[in-house]
Amino acid sequence: MKFIATLFVLLFFSTHSSALPIVFKEQLPYVEATINGKTIELMFDLGADAPVALTGSEIAATNVTVLDQTLKYGMADGSNFEVPLIRIDNLKLGPWEKSNVAGHEFRFLGGANSARHTGHVGSALFAESILHINYSAESIEISERIPDRCPRNWKKIDMTYGIPRLQAVMNGKSYWLALDTGAQGNFLPHAEVDTSMMKVTTSDGESMVMPFRGLNILQAPFDGFLGYDFFLAHSVCLDFANSRVSYGPST
């Protein structure tokens, strides 16, 4: 009887565990997603506000429904597109599963279906979830309750534009910084970067020193990015339902 009880506990936790492996390519995180029974690789991009965006070839491969509605969207590099909306019957990220997921086709400068690019999963997919992102362990945990591993130094984030933004001060100036796993580093506009290392102080007075690079940010509802460098240095928890983030040293 003890063996059966132990087996039940193991099965319960293995079934409900939501650890999702990450693969890094050029300092960007990719995950395996199963869409309508077809497994593909997508970027894990919290700097994107749509739940899911798929390239034309991915739409064809996964047999998603293309709707008679379109969406206009712009990227930080200034490019703009009008694309069809899509509906996904079933999406799985590891053991985590969601049905009837909205999304849109994703395009790039130079064409819609470049072999070098994939679609992505974005922030809106996790609106009711908590993410524990651990780049050093190459994993993401998706949960409906706060994992014990989350640091408890919670800070408010802004989700007005569908992308998590943290307000911080650098060199006496206030910035809205996107918490963006789709950024290959920490970036500020070229004119704002006067040194490679900058002290970042959040509204609760907590500070960190992080490297920043310059970038032409032409069209974005934020002033800069906390990207790969930030997530590699920290264990990060995002609680989207309560608009807050916590982070501590990466372990």
Side-chain angles (χ1 to χ4, degrees):
M1 186 63 109
K2 181 178 179 182
F3 170 78
I4 293 174
T6 302
L7 179 62
F8 172 78
V9 170
L10 289 173
L11 287 173
F12 178 84
F13 282 104
S14 64
T15 301
H16 289 78
S17 172
S18 53
L20 180 67
I22 310 170
V23 174
F24 289 98
K25 298 181 181 181
E26 298 179 348
Q27 298 185 329
L28 295 172
Y30 289 81
V31 297
E32 283 195 346
T34 302
I35 296 176
N36 296 341
K38 175 73 173 182
T39 299
I40 61 174
E41 189 175 66
L42 297 176
M43 188 193 302
F44 187 86
D45 185 3
L46 297 183
D49 57 354
V52 181
L54 302 178
T55 64
S57 58
E58 290 167 341
I59 288 172
T62 54
N63 196 32
V64 304
T65 301
V66 179
L67 304 177
D68 292 328
Q69 299 169 275
T70 60
L71 169 76
K72 292 181 180 179
Y73 75 91
M75 299 179 71
D77 62 8
S79 56
N80 291 275
F81 301 95
E82 183 171 354
V83 294
L85 299 179
I86 61 174
R87 186 183 69 249
I88 298 168
D89 293 333
N90 181 264
L91 181 147
K92 294 180 181 179
L93 296 172
W96 188 80
E97 185 171 2
K98 200 170 184 69
S99 300
N100 196 27
V101 177
H104 64 80
E105 184 182 342
F106 190 57
R107 296 182 182 172
F108 307 86
L109 284 174
N113 299 316
S114 169
R116 301 190 309 275
H117 297 298
T118 71
H120 55 255
V121 293
S123 292
L125 186 64
F126 310 105
E128 300 174 357
S129 300
I130 297 149
L131 300 180
H132 177 221
I133 304 169
N134 191 334
Y135 273 21
S136 64
E138 298 184 344
S139 72
I140 299 166
E141 184 176 357
I142 308 171
S143 179
E144 310 312 318
R145 60 182 184 180
I146 298 172
D148 293 338
R149 291 165 293 286
C150 284
R152 294 300 191 250
N153 59 339
W154 293 103
K155 309 174 195 307
K156 293 298 292 181
I157 55 174
D158 180 81
M159 294 294 301
T160 301
Y161 299 98
I163 297 170
R165 304 188 309 166
L166 178 68
Q167 193 169 29
V169 174
M170 289 178 282
N171 293 340
K173 182 178 177 179
S174 180
Y175 292 86
W176 281 108
L177 301 175
L179 298 168
D180 185 2
T181 54
Q184 293 168 297
N186 299 334
F187 295 97
L188 289 174
H190 281 294
E192 305 294 331
V193 179
D194 57 9
T195 178
S196 61
M197 300 296 291
M198 301 184 74
K199 183 179 179 181
V200 182
T201 304
T202 54
S203 58
D204 60 356
E206 189 169 275
S207 297
M208 57 184 167
V209 177
M210 298 292 295
F212 280 86
R213 289 175 274 173
L215 182 72
N216 288 328
I217 303 173
L218 302 176
Q219 181 173 298
F222 42 79
D223 304 310
F225 302 90
L226 288 174
Y228 178 82
D229 301 306
F230 170 75
F231 285 95
L232 184 63
H234 297 91
S235 172
V236 181
C237 287
L238 279 159
D239 179 0
F240 289 97
N242 294 296
S243 298
R244 58 182 184 166
V245 65
S246 70
Y247 51 84
S250 182
T251 57

